Amino acid sequence: QKLAKTVVGRQALAKGDTQFLPDQDATFLCFVSMGRFQYRREALHHMEKPRTEMVDAGEDWIAEPILWTPRWVHVGELKA
């Protein structure tokens, strides 16, 4: 029970607030409990197009690689 209270937290964001930016070190995994986020990843090379996807409440999570890698850097922007 102590572990769950220590490692799980809540954060409220207003529409348009940024959760993380490209090149920012990842420090947590996000579960969406209400509303939705927009994730936008810029093209990583000239042959690729920018990618946008919605991260919806009750269905999705984001930044999962931080769970099993010693260091993860975000490659896109996550906005509420």
Side-chain angles (χ1 to χ4, degrees):
Q1 187 177 25
K2 182 179 178 183
L3 179 63
K5 289 180 179 180
T6 303
V7 299
V8 177
R10 285 185 170 268
Q11 183 177 14
L13 299 174
K15 185 175 182 175
D17 284 353
T18 300
Q19 180 68 27
F20 59 73
L21 296 166
D23 299 320
Q24 183 179 355
D25 286 339
T27 57
F28 51 84
L29 163 73
C30 293
F31 289 98
V32 184
S33 62
M34 187 183 314
R36 68 191 327 200
F37 285 111
Q38 179 182 352
Y39 177 73
R40 179 171 171 82
R41 188 187 84 190
E42 294 300 323
L44 298 178
H45 53 79
H46 72 280
M47 297 294 290
E48 187 178 56
K49 294 179 181 178
R51 187 173 127 200
T52 301
E53 67 180 274
M54 300 311 291
V55 183
D56 296 308
E59 298 178 9
D60 288 320
W61 57 86
I62 195 156
E64 184 179 0
I66 193 59
L67 295 178
W68 60 77
T69 58
R71 182 169 183 261
W72 180 257
V73 176
H74 296 296
V75 293
E77 178 181 20
L78 186 68
K79 283 188 148 192

